[in-house]
Amino acid sequence: MLSVVEAETLILESVQAIGEIERVGLAACRNRILAAPIASNLDFPHWDNSAMDGYAVRFEDVKQPAILEIVEEIPAGYLPQKSIQPGQAARILTGSMMPAGADTVVMQENTQRQGDRVSILTPPPTQGSFVRYRGSYYQAGNPLLSPGAVLKAPEIAILAAAQCVEVPVFRRLRVAILSTGSELVTPDRPLQPGQIVDSNQYALEALVAEMGAEVISLGIICDEPAELKNAIATAVESADVVISSGGVSVGDYDYVDRILEELGAAIQIRSVAVKPGKPLTFATFPNSTLYFGLPGNPASVLVTFWRFAQPAIRKLSGLGQGWKPEFLSAIATQELKSDGKREFYLWGSVSISDGVLHFTPAGGSRLSGNLINLAGTNALGKMSIGQTHISPGETIQILKVS
Ligand code: AMP
Ligand code: MG
């Protein structure tokens, strides 16, 4: 049985970012991952321009209060026609191009206009005041955005300004999901005694879809080896990642590991010293498809997905950073107990008060079959092997999961 850290290392070392690039329109690139470096052939700002509404002047002329002749009006988007000579100024508006000859802007508030003359009442502090110089934010040809960046509003603004209308992004991952178990029925079916509704399929689909991957829903596969083998073989051919739940324990009907071997997978992990989630299978196929065989219990599925599958999917998707789980310190609001034999993950909620994180575990039964108290989970609290007790007010390491 591997420790959590050994399992995590093994999984993440087996994963390399997907290399396949596609181009999508600027309007469709939100939340996608940039796949190639972006540079612009424009300087930012593109030309010297005014940071204020005011007057473009020669600093020489306004070191002391002065009266200047206004020779031109320069609204935004207008190409100045005149060069500013000694004793002259141009009316200029924010963002407008600086006229030749002028090197400084005097803000409107420090002036008084009479017809085609302007009095400079308060001299500007320095030469170049209120001028935004060409290339002062970015010079053409330098790196602008790096591969691996998630495209959110700030990056999309930059891409638009750089006129990058076709954005190179990694293709979306395809993740196949299936539920194993002859006792399972879909939520729309009347329940017979002994049957259980397949909730894992829907939970996993939601988790995977939230990550921006394409979901391939394979639904319920009963505990029948030939059928399961067929389903897994199809899934492995069509997906980058396959996630199944159930059937990885040591019960008589737990066939997943055996089938993976028959299909030529290298099984890297069969069991991890973690609670919930001890029976956890991770395998790699020669076509580089990753296989996560998660335990069947609903809480175990979520915990093992967040702890092991999600980071791997993030890394595979091409994310440059942030794919490795990062634990934060929080204050436990309640007494927490563990038998200390396996690394223990408590689902619960983290909140912030006075700038400090506080972790409250879900109330009620913490058995992995209980999905009723999963609602509101946004963090997992971790208790290490050997750690049996955390008192209220003590620190606990937590992993944010949403
Ligand atoms: P297994 O690992 O297949 O023995 O499943 C462990 C437990 O999880 C059993 O009680 C199953 O009925 C339950 N379980 C398995 N798959 C699902 C599922 N897709 N949705 C809800 N519960 C499940
Ligand atoms: Mg089962």
Side-chain angles (χ1 to χ4, degrees):
M1 194 156 51
L2 298 178
S3 72
V4 168
V5 169
E6 285 167 338
E8 174 185 37
T9 305
L10 224 167
I11 291 169
L12 291 176
E13 282 179 355
S14 309
V15 178
Q16 294 312 323
I18 189 173
E20 292 169 50
I21 300 179
E22 61 187 27
R23 288 181 181 272
V24 297
L26 190 55
C29 73
R30 184 163 49 100
N31 289 334
R32 299 294 298 267
I33 300 167
L34 192 64
I38 300 288
S40 175
N41 53 13
L42 299 169
D43 290 324
F44 284 79
H46 312 320
W47 47 75
D48 294 352
N49 70 91
S50 174
M52 285 282 177
D53 293 334
Y55 294 87
V57 300
R58 297 158 26 98
F59 184 65
E60 271 302 305
D61 291 351
V62 295
K63 287 179 167 169
Q64 57 284 313
I67 296 178
L68 304 174
E69 178 199 359
I70 301 167
V71 294
E72 189 172 29
E73 178 121 353
I74 311 173
Y78 174 84
L79 177 65
Q81 305 293 313
K82 297 199 173 138
S83 178
I84 303 303
Q85 305 299 320
Q88 296 184 335
R91 169 74 173 137
I92 197 162
L93 294 144
T94 306
S96 299
M97 271 176 107
M98 287 292 285
D103 58 12
T104 299
V105 171
V106 181
M107 61 198 280
Q108 186 171 311
E109 290 82 343
N110 293 339
T111 66
Q112 194 169 39
R113 183 167 179 168
Q114 296 115 357
D116 60 358
R117 293 183 170 267
V118 60
S119 300
I120 307 299
L121 305 174
T122 313
T126 54
Q127 187 176 29
S129 288
F130 303 120
V131 178
R132 302 164 174 162
Y133 289 103
R134 173 177 182 158
S136 58
Y137 307 159
Y138 168 83
Q139 285 160 7
N142 285 333
L144 194 55
L145 294 173
S146 303
V150 188
L151 302 176
K152 303 265 187 192
E155 293 76 21
I156 293 171
I158 294 166
L159 290 168
Q163 298 187 306
C164 179
V165 288
E166 293 275 295
V167 187
V169 293
F170 289 114
R171 78 158 166 79
R172 292 171 72 199
L173 296 183
R174 290 185 285 267
V175 180
I177 298 168
L178 59 111
S179 299
T180 73
S182 300
E183 75 281 25
L184 302 175
V185 291
T186 54
D188 56 344
R189 285 295 181 84
L191 211 53
Q192 304 300 322
Q195 292 185 326
I196 287 181
V197 175
D198 172 16
S199 57
N200 292 344
Q201 179 77 21
Y202 298 89
L204 287 168
E205 287 182 13
L207 289 164
V208 166
E210 273 169 20
M211 296 180 71
E214 269 175 47
V215 175
I216 303 171
S217 305
L218 298 177
I220 299 166
I221 316 293
C222 67
D223 294 318
E224 205 279 300
E227 214 171 299
L228 192 54
K229 187 171 176 179
N230 258 336
I232 292 178
T234 310
V236 168
E237 267 169 37
S238 55
D240 303 296
V241 181
V242 180
I243 306 177
S244 65
S245 65
V248 288
S249 200
V250 292
D252 294 342
Y253 299 97
D254 295 330
Y255 299 121
V256 171
D257 284 17
R258 207 179 76 201
I259 288 170
L260 292 175
E261 278 171 339
E262 286 172 15
L263 290 172
I267 300 199
Q268 318 271 2
I269 297 172
R270 292 174 197 271
S271 163
V272 182
V274 63
K275 187 178 170 183
K278 184 171 82 170
L280 173 80
T281 295
F282 172 68
T284 47
F285 276 84
N287 73 350
S288 69
T289 297
L290 306 178
Y291 193 101
F292 287 93
L294 306 184
N297 277 312
S300 309
V301 163
L302 289 176
V303 170
T304 51
F305 179 89
W306 282 321
R307 186 65 188 87
F308 299 105
Q310 183 162 279
I313 294 172
R314 284 187 175 144
K315 185 175 183 194
L316 185 66
S317 68
L319 258 190
Q321 55 186 24
W323 44 264
K324 209 171 165 22
E326 271 178 22
F327 284 85
L328 304 171
S329 293
I331 303 294
T333 60
Q334 296 175 13
E335 182 180 43
L336 306 171
K337 286 182 178 166
S338 163
D339 64 12
K341 290 185 182 143
R342 288 183 265 153
E343 195 161 302
F344 184 36
Y345 285 86
L346 300 114
W347 52 97
S349 60
V350 66
S351 59
I352 195 156
S353 92
D354 293 333
V356 177
L357 297 176
H358 292 264
F359 177 74
T360 303
S365 163
R366 291 187 194 137
L367 294 176
S368 55
N370 178 21
L371 54 63
I372 300 305
N373 66 1
L374 284 166
T377 298
N378 66 3
L380 299 176
K382 178 180 93 172
M383 293 181 73
S384 306
I385 291 177
Q387 192 177 24
T388 53
H389 185 263
I390 293 179
S391 300
E394 282 184 349
T395 299
I396 182 168
Q397 295 298 300
I398 61 133
L399 185 65
K400 288 183 80 182
V401 294
S402 66

